[in-house]
Amino acid sequence: QVQLVESGGGSVQAGGSLRLSCAVTGYSAAPYCMAWFRQAPGQEREGVAVIDTDATITYADSMKGRFTISPDNAWHSLDLQMNSLKPEDTSIYYCAVRLQIPPYYGFRCGLFESSFDSWGQGTQVTVSS
């Protein structure tokens, strides 16, 4: 059974950095897409960054230039390097992957929750001002 385990969360002051990691276990093939999402208290979950079916990487606008995702060669882990953190980055961060075969040629996961079928439990990131 596939499991996604996030690590690396914690507390940091504004302007600081954190690196999150996600390990995908129990599944030998590479996922079709891998992504990070986040959810702040009282808010909807939002996409942070995705590496898509064609290996392109997309970041949410507010993370561009500050966050970087990097999978390992086998796409069995996905790191998220977060720099220049702001208090508004405080959230629970979730790793997600798509294991199901895409519905059509050219399908892209994007930053849409519905594209992903396996999720981690999340790791808390707190940024203080």
Side-chain angles (χ1 to χ4, degrees):
Q1 183 174 348
V2 64
Q3 284 192 314
L4 280 65
V5 180
E6 301 100 335
S7 61
S11 298
V12 65
Q13 289 194 323
S17 299
L18 280 174
R19 188 176 185 89
L20 307 183
S21 293
C22 171
V24 182
T25 63
Y27 193 77
S28 58
Y32 289 96
C33 310
M34 304 180 75
W36 283 96
F37 287 78
R38 70 183 188 183
Q39 187 169 21
Q43 297 191 20
E44 306 244 334
R45 188 152 54 184
E46 64 173 342
V48 172
V50 58
I51 180 162
D52 224 305
T53 52
D54 58 359
T56 58
I57 293 175
T58 302
Y59 296 94
D61 287 344
S62 62
M63 290 77 163
K64 286 179 183 177
R66 300 190 300 126
F67 291 9
T68 304
I69 61 169
S70 54
D72 70 338
N73 288 338
W75 283 32
H76 284 166
S77 69
L78 183 68
D79 286 357
L80 176 66
Q81 177 66 42
M82 303 185 294
N83 299 326
S84 302
L85 283 162
K86 306 174 183 180
E88 52 264 42
D89 293 318
T90 296
S91 290
I92 299 175
Y93 284 73
Y94 298 90
C95 177
V97 300
R98 180 183 180 94
L99 304 178
Q100 295 176 5
I101 297 173
Y104 53 85
Y105 178 78
F107 173 86
R108 293 173 59 82
C109 291
L111 292 171
F112 305 104
E113 288 186 62
S114 59
S115 296
F116 298 88
D117 48 49
S118 299
W119 294 80
Q121 293 299 306
T123 185
Q124 177 71 46
V125 171
T126 302
V127 184
S128 58
S129 56

